[in-house]
Every structure is written in structure tokens, then in C-alpha cells.
Amino acid sequence: MTAQRDYYQVLGISRDADEVTIKNAFRRLARRYHPDTSTEPDGQERFREIAEAYGVLSDPAKRASYDAQGSAGLTGATAEDLWGGINFADIFGPGAPAFGNLFERLFGPSAGPPPRGQDLHVDLFVSLEQVLTGGKQAVTIDRPGPCPQCAGSGSRPGTAPYSCPECGGTGQRAVASRRGPVMVRQVTTCPACAGRGRVIDQPCPACQATGRAVREDTITIRIPPGIREETTLRLAGRGSPSSLPGAPPGDAYVTIRTHTDPRFTRVGADLWHDLHIQVPDATLGTTAAIPALDGQALIRVPPGTQPGTVLRIEGRGLPRYPGHGRGSLNVTVIVDIPRQLSPWQRQLYEQLRAEDADTTGKIGQDAPRSGGRLKALLHGGKRAHSGREQPPRDPGGVG
């Protein structure tokens, strides 16, 4: 890439220019600064700059990245990445100047390096306890590697591949053609060896001349405390090897996922837990022990707690990543309404309903007495006593 100037200024257009405006600006400037016809002293450098600007602004994805981040959004892009997709015949018509040969002169041959290997993707499941503490975890990747039978040569043991006579071992074939007074040179993949640069007459029966076999590659990675769900970690060079000699391997991407835990639901750094309580506990209040990742936690359920109430314990969730501290342990109260009642239980519920209907507010005044009887009833069938009355004897016991 050339020294950075604003690409919109290079083409002399506004930042909201449409595709037609961008194309017309490039057509005009490219004809003016074409090094073979321009009399401008800096024509070649200006043409390189113009082509680079058009390569970026004519591609919607590259333009969006450039608008968002400037030149940083194009980090790692080569000249081939920037201008390789330009259709000169579409811009200049059949009589277009010989831009293909010119771009090779300005930016180098367009063939580029051999393609890298494919990337590999794998999921790694971890427990909530591992997310809490972090640590090291082994992950196994099925990774293609050299075939053990032919040692990666692709040839039957005892034989060897030889250099391709069509391309001389380069894996590429150059074809020259003349367009008017200009000679155009086009580089393509050699069809005889499929770009490998070598020919295998007797392929290895184990790998079918690929020279590769799948093997398990165990890698230990570090899990930071509080790592977010579906975070993807990149392991450079741990992907598949390239099919062409000398090309780099791909990368491996490990996506972290959390094992399902019946006790909790994870939402970011917070944990959610369902607490089931009985009607008396919701009415009178209670203290309950609930599970936590680092032991049990005690939580107070206030009197009159309604179904669906959320009680929060700060600092008992997962570590915030990145950041400091821990999230909350959120407890959703679920009040279990009895589906079946013994005769004694039903009589007491009927009595409570009658008292509520007869005297507004009476049930509130007598709530400690009646609630106490109800609690005793639903927790073991113990008989409650008061100064004025006793509940009827349960003939069948508590169901």
C-alpha cells in the first residue's frame, strides 16, 4: 500500500459519492496519469495511488471498513487485494489501455503466494466452575498432518514424485498475448500438476497421493476467569496444512461454550436460580439455603413474597470479563401451590377463605395465628394451639 492519503481526496469526490461517480472519477484520472501516456512527472506514483483508492472505494465491504476505521481497516491488505477485482473492460470498454501489464509493473506479479491451509473450528465445553476460576484446558483438534506411510510425499513407499515438466516445478504457467502494441502476460495454475509443481505416478494407497492423514492434535489453552459464552480463541498455525509446498497452514478457532447446569442459567456474568418454596414460607417469610458455585448461600425470603419475585445476592455470580468483580446470583421465587389436599388441609383453607370473606381485614389481624396453623399443617401435620380454639383433628393425616 502507498503512503496514506484520504482516498476520497485522491479521486476528488465527496464521502457520499455513489458508484457511478467513483467510476467516472477513476476513469478520468487513470487516463490522465497512465504512465505510458502521461507527461506528468509523478504520473506513475499518482496512478498507483488512484488505483489503490478506487480498489477500496469501489468495493462496498472495503469502503465500509475504510469509512469506519480509516487505513487501519485495511491492515494486512495487499495491492492484489485492493485492485485485483477491478474490471477494466467494464470501465474503459473494449479499447481499454493495457492496465493488466501495467499493474504487474507497478505492484508486482499478480499470482501472489500459494494459498494457506484451511482454518479449523472446534467447540470446547467448560463447566461454570471452570468459568469461575479459569485455568488450563486441553482441547483435541482433528488436524490433517503428514501421512505416516509415505512421510507426506504422496507417493507409494519406495517411489518418489518428480518435478513437473510442464511448469518446471513452479506450479504456474505463464501465457503471453499481444493486444495491439502491448504484450500482456497472464499467470495461471499449471493444469498438469494442479499447482503442486510435482507429478506423482504411483500414489500412496493410504492417503491417495494427498500426503496427508487426519490425526488428533491435543492443545492446552488458557481459560481466563469469566470468559464470555461463545468467545472464539485463535490458535495461529494450528489449522490444516496447505496443499501446496511452502504455503503456511491455516489457523484453528476454538469457541468456548458452557455446559448446561441444572442449577443455574447463565446470563453474562450473572447466574439465575429457581427457588421453590411452600405457601406458608411465602406468607410468613423464611430463610433458604441455595446452591452457589463456591458453596451454599443463605437468602432471606421476606414475608408476603409474591410468586416470580427476584431476590439478588451481589458478588456470587461469575467474574466480569473483562473487568473487575463478580456478577449477581439472582434467585427467582416460585411458590408451589399444593395440587392435592388432605381433608384437614382443605378444611383449614376453607376456614381461612371464610374469615377473609366475613370480615374485611380480619384475616390480616389473625394472620399470625392462622398462618401459623397453616404452616404447622403443611410441614408435618402438627396441631397449632391458641387461647380460643384448636383446628379440627385430621382423621387421615397429611398427604
Side-chain angles (χ1 to χ4, degrees):
M1 295 175 62
T2 61
Q4 288 302 307
R5 280 182 57 198
D6 183 88
Y7 286 147
Y8 292 96
Q9 293 181 3
V10 170
L11 296 182
I13 57 177
S14 63
R15 301 191 76 85
D16 59 353
D18 58 17
E19 295 180 6
V20 175
T21 302
I22 296 173
K23 181 184 293 187
N24 290 338
F26 174 66
R27 181 190 293 115
R28 174 177 52 81
L29 293 172
R31 290 188 181 277
R32 175 180 176 184
Y33 290 102
H34 190 289
D36 292 342
T37 59
S38 175
T39 58
E40 302 284 346
D42 59 345
Q44 179 167 309
E45 186 60 32
R46 286 282 287 125
F47 184 86
R48 182 200 300 263
E49 191 177 51
I50 293 163
E52 187 175 300
Y54 179 73
V56 172
L57 299 184
S58 63
D59 184 287
K62 295 188 184 76
R63 183 179 181 180
S65 181
Y66 177 74
D67 288 344
Q69 306 177 60
S71 59
L74 306 173
T75 300
T78 64
E80 171 73 13
D81 296 330
L82 299 182
W83 62 263
I86 299 177
N87 187 338
F88 294 103
D90 176 61
I91 299 173
F92 297 98
F99 287 99
N101 182 261
L102 173 62
F103 272 74
E104 286 188 9
R105 287 158 45 195
L106 295 180
F107 298 103
S110 61
R116 59 196 293 272
Q118 291 185 344
D119 295 333
L120 299 177
H121 300 266
V122 64
D123 290 340
L124 175 62
F125 287 87
V126 297
S127 67
L128 288 174
E129 284 80 6
Q130 289 174 295
V131 178
L132 174 66
T133 61
K136 295 181 178 180
Q137 177 73 25
V139 58
T140 300
I141 301 174
D142 291 334
R143 183 172 183 261
C147 173
Q149 186 165 334
C150 65
S153 70
S155 293
R156 182 185 295 273
T159 67
Y162 59 89
S163 179
C164 175
E166 295 292 331
C167 63
T170 64
Q172 299 175 345
R173 186 175 66 174
V175 179
S177 61
R178 182 175 295 278
R179 296 182 181 177
V182 179
M183 182 68 68
V184 178
R185 180 173 175 268
Q186 184 178 9
V187 179
T188 62
T189 299
C190 175
C193 63
R196 295 184 178 88
R198 55 182 186 162
V199 178
I200 299 174
D201 281 338
Q202 300 185 48
C204 170
C207 65
Q208 301 300 314
T210 64
R212 295 182 293 174
V214 177
R215 61 184 177 86
E216 291 187 349
D217 193 3
T218 300
I219 306 169
T220 300
I221 62 176
R222 188 182 70 85
I223 305 295
I227 188 169
R228 294 175 179 174
E229 180 75 4
E230 297 188 352
T231 295
T232 298
L233 307 177
R234 173 175 172 265
L235 306 178
R238 295 300 189 111
S240 298
S242 175
S243 60
L244 299 181
D251 300 329
Y253 292 89
V254 180
T255 299
I256 306 299
R257 304 188 188 277
T258 306
H259 275 301
T260 300
D261 192 312
R263 303 168 298 170
F264 306 106
T265 298
R266 179 185 183 183
V267 181
D270 294 336
L271 297 176
W272 289 77
H273 173 75
D274 289 342
L275 174 64
H276 290 258
I277 62 175
Q278 303 298 319
V279 173
D281 292 333
T283 304
L284 304 175
T286 187
T287 299
I290 60 172
L293 292 178
D294 48 0
Q296 282 193 333
L298 293 178
I299 191 167
R300 178 179 173 272
V301 180
T305 295
Q306 300 299 307
T309 298
V310 176
L311 307 175
R312 182 172 288 105
I313 305 178
E314 299 288 349
R316 296 300 293 270
L318 296 169
R320 293 188 176 91
Y321 177 81
H324 303 283
R326 291 171 58 178
S328 302
L329 175 55
N330 302 308
V331 180
T332 303
V333 177
I334 299 176
V335 180
D336 292 329
I337 307 299
R339 294 181 179 273
Q340 294 182 345
L341 298 174
S342 70
W344 192 36
Q345 290 173 320
R346 179 172 294 279
Q347 185 172 353
L348 184 53
Y349 273 111
E350 293 287 356
Q351 179 183 343
L352 292 175
R353 182 165 62 181
E355 290 179 358
D356 187 33
D358 288 344
T359 305
T360 303
K362 181 178 180 181
I363 190 67
Q365 298 168 6
D366 295 344
R369 181 180 71 249
S370 301
R373 294 200 308 271
L374 184 59
K375 183 174 182 181
L377 173 66
L378 298 180
H379 291 277
K382 296 180 181 179
R383 302 178 66 183
H385 300 274
S386 71
R388 295 184 297 169
E389 60 179 353
Q390 290 184 345
R393 182 182 300 275
D394 181 3
V398 179

